[in-house]
Amino acid sequence: MPPSPTASERTRQLRRVALSGLLGTAVEFYDFLVYGTVAALVFGELFFPGADPAVGTIAAFGTFAAGYVARPIGGIVFGHFGDRLGRKNMLLLTMGLMGGASFLIGLLPTYDTVGVWAPVLLITLRVVQGIAIGGEWGGATLMVVEHAGEKRRGLWSSFTQMGAPLGSLISAAVVAMVSTLPKDQFAAWGWRVPFLLSVLLLGVGLFVRLKVVESPLFAEVKKDRAESRLPILDVLKRPRPVLLACCVGIGAFTAQSLLTSYLIAYATGIGYPRPQVLTALTVSAAVALVVLPCASALSDRIGRRPVVLTGAILSAATAFPVLALVDSKSSGALILAVVIGHGISQSLMYGPLGALFSEMFGTRVRYTGASLGYQGATLVGAGFSPMIAGSLVASSGNGTPVALLLCGGSLITALTVWFVRETSRTSLGEDPTPDLPTTPHTEEITA
């Protein structure tokens, strides 16, 4: 038997795993969000020409939704092998798939070149992206949580959560840079640059990820030969935690989708220049990088539920004021709106989710369970929101449906949190599922 690692070695490995989670998730979200940004700007005319501009935008976001539909599939596939064979190898595979699909999108011919094959290939690669990111988040998050053990799991898991705004920040900055090109040059070749640059981020992410070791909790399960034969069946035998996780995450992902990807199409449609919108998203992502670790660390002290609930209530209460700020057509008001709705409210909901979802499942099925909960929430909250919002705005002629969707998603999260057991004191070595309450409770959560 190899000697047990010392405390300093465990701390060093935990930092390396946290960095791996941060970089890996940043790469994944960079690739995923670059698509949403570019789809809002040019994919309608490049891959769905001849349609009404609103219809073209809806079609472009339809391919955006296709990636979200594929994410639960990725959660099931990679969750199965992650719970059976190990976390590390699955994370290397998801990162490679994501980066490869994004690079190939940057090389795609448009409709004018190959006709209907252009949108077919685009949707195919988008589905590959969705499958890859469906397996990435669950594995990256629980690797950090399982290495962290019983202390400060929320804070350490926030590194993986910060990958989303970091990827958004990088993607917005890169797209903002190339969007300064003349419109014809951006449509001809400029939109390809962000996708092709993803190969550089992929190389850095893989280099760091190769140096991490397997989760110690899963290593114990493997040593005892206690792996689940079919993790998905074990999870679905007791589906309540997955359903609760899906509903808890809906508010965060509705806000993320409407106030990032869809906002670009909406704001440019009412007269904002593209650079102003991308600047607002960049500022919001920078604020989120501060709020996320603070919210996650706070959840270690007072519990996951109070922090998520605060974010959900704040998001619902500010939905209509946020839209009014956007509709004012003031660049300063636009930045304030995105910071309030995404940088602060969404981050409060999103920050504790990594630790919360990981703590809701036992080690034998944690990869599958956490991935299904998370990806189910993204499918409902983020996958269809831009398409629904685009359709409703096009028919109504105003942005009220955007605020209604944002408010509705946040209220779903707020109501569901009431039914979730506080997990911040749960031991990861236990299977928490049998102990879940069957009715909402109101006990006081104390630090």
Side-chain angles (χ1 to χ4, degrees):
M1 293 289 293
S4 299
T6 63
S8 61
E9 289 172 340
R10 287 195 299 269
T11 301
R12 186 163 52 249
Q13 186 60 223
L14 175 57
R15 291 172 179 167
R16 187 176 296 163
V17 171
L19 177 61
S20 166
L22 173 66
L23 292 177
T25 310
V27 170
E28 302 278 352
F29 274 89
Y30 168 85
D31 291 336
F32 210 73
L33 294 174
V34 157
Y35 181 97
T37 305
V38 177
L41 296 175
V42 296
F43 273 7
E45 59 187 83
L46 293 178
F47 290 90
F48 306 95
D52 176 86
V55 175
T57 299
I58 293 169
F61 279 123
T63 63
F64 185 71
Y68 280 98
V69 171
R71 287 170 73 154
I73 299 173
I76 293 172
V77 173
F78 288 105
H80 172 83
F81 290 105
D83 283 327
R84 289 283 298 160
L85 305 177
R87 311 345 188 169
K88 177 180 175 179
N89 290 336
M90 295 304 105
L91 292 176
L92 291 171
L93 184 54
T94 59
M95 184 179 285
L97 280 176
M98 190 71 182
S102 293
F103 184 78
L104 290 176
I105 288 176
L107 299 177
L108 277 182
T110 62
Y111 189 93
D112 289 341
T113 304
V114 296
V116 72
W117 281 106
V120 169
L121 292 171
L122 179 66
I123 293 172
T124 301
L125 290 175
R126 184 61 178 172
V127 168
V128 172
Q129 280 190 323
I131 291 173
I133 202 171
E136 164 66 25
W137 180 89
T141 299
L142 66 87
M143 273 282 279
V144 178
V145 169
E146 290 179 350
H147 273 276
E150 306 304 320
K151 295 183 179 180
R152 298 193 297 172
R153 294 192 296 251
L155 176 61
W156 283 108
S157 70
S158 70
F159 284 88
T160 302
Q161 301 296 79
M162 285 191 290
L166 180 60
S168 177
L169 187 66
I170 299 172
S171 68
V174 172
V175 174
M177 180 176 62
V178 297
S179 66
T180 58
L181 293 167
K183 187 175 180 179
D184 58 336
Q185 293 185 32
F186 181 78
W189 59 269
W191 67 270
R192 300 179 183 274
V193 174
F195 292 103
L196 298 177
L197 286 178
S198 66
V199 72
L200 300 178
L201 294 174
L202 174 63
V204 174
L206 286 175
F207 176 77
V208 174
R209 187 156 283 179
L210 282 167
K211 293 181 175 293
V212 304
V213 299
E214 184 57 84
S215 155
L217 288 179
F218 179 79
E220 286 294 319
V221 170
K222 193 75 174 175
K223 184 180 72 172
D224 296 338
R225 297 184 178 181
E227 310 98 294
S228 171
R229 293 185 61 187
L230 288 172
I232 183 64
L233 293 183
D234 288 341
V235 169
L236 294 181
K237 284 177 183 177
R238 295 178 291 187
R240 190 170 186 269
V242 173
L243 295 176
L244 288 175
C246 287
C247 293
V248 167
I250 283 175
F253 293 113
T254 301
Q256 181 188 64
S257 184
L258 292 178
L259 295 175
T260 55
S261 299
Y262 179 73
L263 182 71
I264 298 170
Y266 179 78
T268 54
I270 63 175
Y272 284 97
R274 285 182 302 185
Q276 282 188 7
V277 182
L278 294 172
T279 297
L281 294 179
T282 302
V283 173
S284 172
V287 171
L289 284 173
V290 177
V291 177
L292 276 171
C294 293
S296 302
L298 183 63
S299 77
D300 283 330
R301 295 182 61 83
I302 68 173
R304 319 295 183 210
R305 297 171 68 242
V307 178
V308 175
L309 182 61
T310 300
I313 294 173
L314 181 62
S315 180
T318 58
F320 283 92
V322 162
L323 180 66
L325 288 170
V326 175
D327 286 340
S328 71
K329 300 183 181 180
S330 163
S331 59
L334 176 65
I335 292 174
L336 180 61
V338 185
V339 167
I340 293 172
H342 182 259
I344 298 175
S345 301
Q346 192 270 348
S347 296
L348 286 171
M349 289 187 284
Y350 184 65
L353 292 188
L356 174 61
F357 287 6
S358 298
E359 292 160 352
M360 291 174 72
F361 301 92
T363 304
R364 296 174 66 250
V365 298
R366 185 169 288 130
Y367 202 143
T368 300
S371 295
L372 276 182
Y374 184 91
Q375 303 309 337
T378 63
L379 173 61
V380 177
F384 297 109
S385 295
M387 190 166 52
I388 294 171
S391 301
L392 294 177
V393 168
S395 62
S396 67
N398 61 70
T400 301
V402 179
L404 288 173
L405 285 171
L406 184 61
C407 188
S410 301
L411 289 176
I412 290 173
T413 291
L415 291 172
T416 308
V417 165
W418 203 252
F419 291 84
V420 176
R421 187 186 71 168
E422 180 55 56
T423 61
S424 58
R425 302 294 182 264
T426 300
S427 172
L428 290 179
E430 303 171 1
D431 182 357
T433 309
D435 299 324
L436 285 171
T438 56
T439 56
H441 58 86
T442 58
E443 74 268 24
E444 180 180 357
I445 303 300
T446 58

